[in-house]
Amino acid sequence: MAENKRVVMVGIPGVGKTTLLTKIVEILKNHKKNVYMVSYGTLMFEVAKENGLTDRDELRKLSVSEQQKLQKLAAEKIAGHDEEIVIIDTHAFINSPEGYYPGLPEHVLKIIKPTNFVSVSAKPEEIYNRRMKDDTRNRDKITLAVIKKELDVQSGMISACAVITGAPVRLVLNHEGKVEEAADKIIRAIGL
Ligand code: ATP
Ligand code: MG
């Protein structure tokens, strides 16, 4: 019997995770797979609302310890899903005033128990342009040097996740105009 997959997909803002995941879910649903896709950030905000928060922008202004609590509650919701394939759209780290804060600390990984990690990357210039043209989001001001640094931090964070969980990391480049190819590559690589 095929084992259920819990795939955690990370990438810095604007790399194209949500675009890629939407394509992957579309393909999997066409193949009649029972798949659940969730954005960790959206889920955290839903949990925060249940705890009295009203504005999404208040979320990142909470103390790290309060955010950790919400992170844990969101992880527990995800762990409650038993679909054949659960795909989590998240960040390996979050920029906080105190420094890079892990999106997947050990206590969260122990709850979610990922079977696979996918680390999405792209050329820094492409990421820069995607952030610039995407006006549906209110992104921080950005430079190429910052993007390169973030890609470096992502690589360290996701390696740590692999070591903690024993789950493999698949690196994927989301080339300009090639979302479908990247989606196919991920599906084949992790046998979805
Ligand atoms: P965030 O972490 O902020 O949610 P994200 O990684 O989910 O960001 P998306 O919102 O999926 O990023 O994509 C950002 C922008 O880049 C969008 O305008 C999207 O259409 C575009 N984009 C994504 N992938 C590609 C691609 N392969 N080629 C061209 N444009 C792309
Ligand atoms: Mg997204």
Side-chain angles (χ1 to χ4, degrees):
M1 202 179 88
E3 180 202 354
N4 285 4
K5 298 264 190 197
R6 285 177 306 281
V7 182
V8 173
M9 190 154 179
V10 301
I12 64 173
V15 77
K17 295 176 299 297
T18 306
T19 308
L20 209 47
L21 263 180
T22 306
K23 175 54 77 182
I24 289 174
V25 169
E26 182 193 316
I27 297 171
L28 293 177
K29 287 202 166 150
N30 284 341
H31 287 83
K32 305 273 181 280
K33 298 273 186 179
N34 180 16
V35 51
Y36 170 69
M37 163 185 168
V38 61
S39 152
Y40 209 101
T42 304
L43 194 58
M44 265 182 71
F45 181 51
E46 277 167 22
V47 173
K49 278 197 286 195
E50 288 168 18
N51 288 275
L53 217 81
T54 50
D55 180 357
R56 200 185 180 117
D57 289 325
E58 284 176 43
L59 197 57
R60 61 173 186 270
K61 292 179 196 157
L62 295 174
S63 69
V64 167
S65 74
E66 280 174 304
Q67 294 199 43
Q68 277 168 344
K69 243 181 268 165
L70 293 172
Q71 226 179 355
K72 180 166 182 275
L73 290 170
E76 282 162 354
K77 288 210 167 184
I78 293 170
H81 280 268
D82 59 359
E83 285 85 352
E84 192 181 355
I85 303 165
V86 173
I87 311 183
I88 301 140
D89 177 349
T90 191
H91 298 100
F93 65 90
I94 294 101
N95 265 317
S96 93
E98 291 175 57
Y100 299 115
Y101 163 64
L104 299 159
E106 186 174 15
H107 73 94
V108 163
L109 291 170
K110 287 208 164 116
I111 298 170
I112 298 179
K113 299 188 181 70
T115 57
N116 299 81
F117 293 102
V118 176
S119 180
V120 186
S121 189
K123 289 186 185 144
E125 294 76 11
E126 290 173 345
I127 298 172
Y128 180 89
N129 290 332
R130 287 172 199 167
R131 286 191 195 180
M132 287 302 156
K133 77 169 189 223
D134 185 6
D135 54 14
T136 65
R137 301 292 298 266
N138 187 8
R139 300 188 191 277
D140 297 332
K141 196 172 183 290
I142 212 75
T143 64
L144 270 185
V146 167
I147 290 174
K148 284 178 186 159
K149 179 76 214 164
E150 288 180 356
L151 288 172
D152 246 25
V153 176
Q154 168 168 321
S155 146
M157 291 280 186
I158 203 67
S159 297
C161 291
V163 172
I164 287 171
T165 57
V169 182
R170 177 74 194 196
L171 303 177
V172 176
L173 271 170
N174 179 23
H175 293 290
E176 193 64 17
K178 305 248 190 254
V179 175
E180 186 123 20
E181 283 85 339
D184 277 336
K185 213 174 262 177
I186 293 167
I187 289 171
R188 270 184 281 115
I190 48 186
L192 298 179

